[in-house]
Amino acid sequence: MIVTIDRLGHLGDGVGQGPDGPVFATGMLPGEVVEGELQGDRLQNPRILTPSATRVKPPCAHARACGGCLLQHASDAFVADWKMGVVKSALDLQGISTLYRPILTSPPRSRRRATLAGRRTKGGVLLGFHARASDTLVPVPACQLLHPDLLAAFPALEALVKIAATRTAEASLTITRSLAGPDVVVKDAKPVDAATQLDLARLSEAHGLARLTWNGETVALRAQPMQRMGTALVAPPPGAFLQATEQGEQALLQAVALAIGPARRVTDLFSGCGTFSLPLATRADVHAVEGDAAMTAALDKAARATPGLHRVTVETRDLFRRPLLPDEFKGTDAVVIDPPRAGAEAQTQALAEARVPVIAMVSCNPVTFARDAKVLVNAGYSLDWVQVVDQFRWSSHVELAARFSR
Ligand SMILES: C[S@@+](CC[C@H](N)C(=O)[O-])C[C@H]1O[C@@H](n2cnc3c(N)ncnc32)[C@H](O)[C@@H]1O
């Protein structure tokens, strides 16, 4: 059948109107006329009859096979408009209008953290990303997403796959760029005995890994895998959350700093290891609250070791079950809140009651952001502006920072 694509779905598929409802076509763009065989609600092997003017040649040689990037066939301008549109639609649905600052997109080859999969083969090992919705592993030596330091660590990862995986059982390898070299977390790996642990330590040394964590246990620590956060140096626990690119982190931080202005007493909710807390502590007292005790410990240690910071206090607390209560915001000039994808409905309700003058909200999910924004707007806040930040270029992920005031 022939379909005209009229929009992108939330996972980046082209969507057109079929006889019985929406029809999805992978890799297609709005305005394109495509032909393919309809199976269920999906057009199989779609062929483009009329291409879109926004279609470009994918910059990565692996784009066709690899499931890591879904939008390499679209121009940067198209993706930027689309991501801005996703945020705007979510807010429109809640009846909220605001000012949109121009999107800030991280450059290619800037991802400082990625999870790859590895498996043994007859002749060696296979390391890469999965093809879309598939068990097939695609090697990605020329990946245009990953920071060159991550690509340079592929030989180390391949050596680890040899020990971790079998021909039928895959291992997962998360690699994070740190100031001391790659910080690697291997999961779903074969258990290792004492002799193999020694091999892993030697391998880490030979390849300059900062830290190697194997099925939850740190088996080699050559150097603390430090991250710079403002003037502080933090050693995050293995696998801890970190913004995906340095540029994205800076864009979010600048937006947060702009949002809270000259606030002197700041509460940072879902603080992680201190991405916002530590830079803000150069000019304000900060109370950081986070659910993961290892992360609050890392933040606390870094704050204590850094001269010249204002007062930094940390609290480990499950903010879904025990949100900070309105009374606990007494004396707070500004709140930074950066919840996981589910958003922070209960915490936002309490915030709305607390009437803190300024709130900087960071979000990786426009739908839960818009839901939580509505709670604040209903309580008398205005949404002053939204800054969309794209640190997951060529994917359908959208992130943003926003300022609320009352
Ligand atoms: C999107 S990350 C943001 C972290 C930090 N603001 C940053 O930029 O690095 C969300 C954080 O929320 C934490 N978190 C998840 N669920 C939580 C909960 N129920 N209570 C408190 N913190 C939680 C995670 O551990 C993670 O550090």
Side-chain angles (χ1 to χ4, degrees):
M1 72 176 289
I2 294 177
V3 176
T4 300
I5 302 299
D6 48 44
R7 63 189 168 89
L8 284 194
H10 68 285
L11 293 178
D13 285 323
V15 187
Q17 196 53 39
D20 303 317
V23 169
F24 296 86
T26 306
M28 300 299 128
L29 295 171
E32 294 189 320
V33 181
V34 301
E35 184 178 34
E37 192 189 323
L38 189 63
Q39 277 180 20
D41 60 2
R42 193 158 278 280
L43 216 53
Q44 297 299 333
N45 303 317
R47 286 180 308 285
I48 303 169
L49 303 180
T50 312
S52 159
T54 61
R55 179 169 284 279
V56 297
K57 184 172 180 294
C60 179
H62 313 302
R64 188 172 270 275
C66 176
C69 292
L70 301 175
L71 287 169
Q72 288 222 353
H73 54 286
S75 69
D76 282 358
F78 173 85
V79 176
D81 278 356
W82 180 64
K83 293 198 176 189
M84 295 280 287
V86 168
V87 176
K88 191 166 183 308
S89 309
L91 284 171
D92 284 351
L93 270 175
Q94 298 287 356
I96 302 174
S97 57
T98 188
L99 179 80
Y100 291 88
R101 295 166 62 84
I103 189 170
L104 294 170
T105 302
S106 294
R109 296 179 292 280
S110 63
R111 277 285 288 277
R112 62 172 164 185
R113 170 196 197 103
T115 298
L116 294 109
R119 176 176 344 112
R120 289 191 74 136
T121 61
K122 228 177 185 173
V125 298
L126 197 55
L127 170 79
F129 291 123
H130 284 115
R132 191 170 182 199
S134 154
D135 289 341
T136 306
L137 266 186
V138 180
V140 289
C143 177
Q144 294 298 300
L145 205 56
L146 302 187
H147 191 284
D149 287 356
L150 298 197
L151 291 181
F154 274 19
L157 298 185
E158 285 164 358
L160 292 171
V161 171
K162 244 183 215 165
I163 302 172
T166 67
R167 278 168 63 183
T168 48
E170 268 180 27
S172 135
L173 302 98
T174 300
I175 176 167
T176 305
R177 181 173 182 253
S178 86
L179 292 171
D183 181 14
V184 179
V185 173
V186 184
K187 286 189 190 155
D188 305 324
K190 282 194 291 187
V192 282
D193 57 18
T196 315
Q197 272 204 24
L198 213 59
D199 290 342
L200 289 174
R202 282 199 204 102
L203 192 154
S204 301
E205 192 67 37
H207 287 277
L209 302 185
R211 176 172 62 184
L212 175 61
T213 306
W214 196 268
N215 289 342
E217 192 188 336
T218 295
V219 293
L221 182 63
R222 197 180 55 84
Q224 288 292 347
M226 293 299 190
Q227 300 291 341
R228 191 176 299 284
M229 295 183 181
T231 54
L233 289 177
V234 185
F241 178 90
L242 204 63
Q243 299 294 345
T245 69
E246 260 178 57
Q247 293 85 347
E249 179 172 301
Q250 287 310 311
L252 291 172
L253 176 60
Q254 275 167 26
V256 163
L258 180 71
I260 67 167
R264 305 295 300 268
R265 292 217 272 173
V266 177
T267 297
D268 180 14
L269 301 171
F270 303 94
S271 66
C273 295
T275 301
F276 304 125
S277 294
L278 290 164
L280 294 177
T282 55
R283 58 186 176 91
D285 289 354
V286 179
H287 182 56
V289 190
E290 157 65 44
D292 183 319
M295 289 170 94
T296 41
L299 198 171
D300 190 44
K301 192 171 173 194
R304 284 167 193 278
T306 309
L309 294 185
H310 286 243
R311 195 170 128 82
V312 176
T313 49
V314 301
E315 183 178 350
T316 304
R317 179 156 166 173
D318 184 332
L319 292 170
F320 289 161
R321 288 164 182 243
R322 284 203 314 122
L324 254 69
L325 301 172
D327 273 359
E328 294 177 272
F329 291 103
K330 250 186 213 139
T332 302
D333 304 322
V335 165
V336 179
I337 178 166
D338 179 14
R341 289 189 68 72
E345 205 167 12
Q347 183 59 83
T348 308
Q349 293 282 1
L351 255 182
E353 284 173 46
R355 304 165 75 91
V356 176
V358 178
I359 299 168
M361 190 179 279
V362 176
S363 168
C364 56
N365 183 341
V367 174
T368 56
F369 165 73
R371 178 201 67 197
D372 295 348
K374 182 76 175 168
V375 171
L376 294 176
V377 168
N378 282 348
Y381 281 88
S382 70
L383 173 53
D384 301 321
W385 47 256
V386 166
Q387 167 74 72
V388 179
V389 173
D390 186 9
Q391 50 179 342
F392 290 97
R393 62 156 43 235
W394 298 317
S395 84
S396 56
H397 286 284
V398 186
E399 308 211 344
L400 62 94
R403 179 180 202 265
F404 296 86
S405 64
R406 55 171 306 136

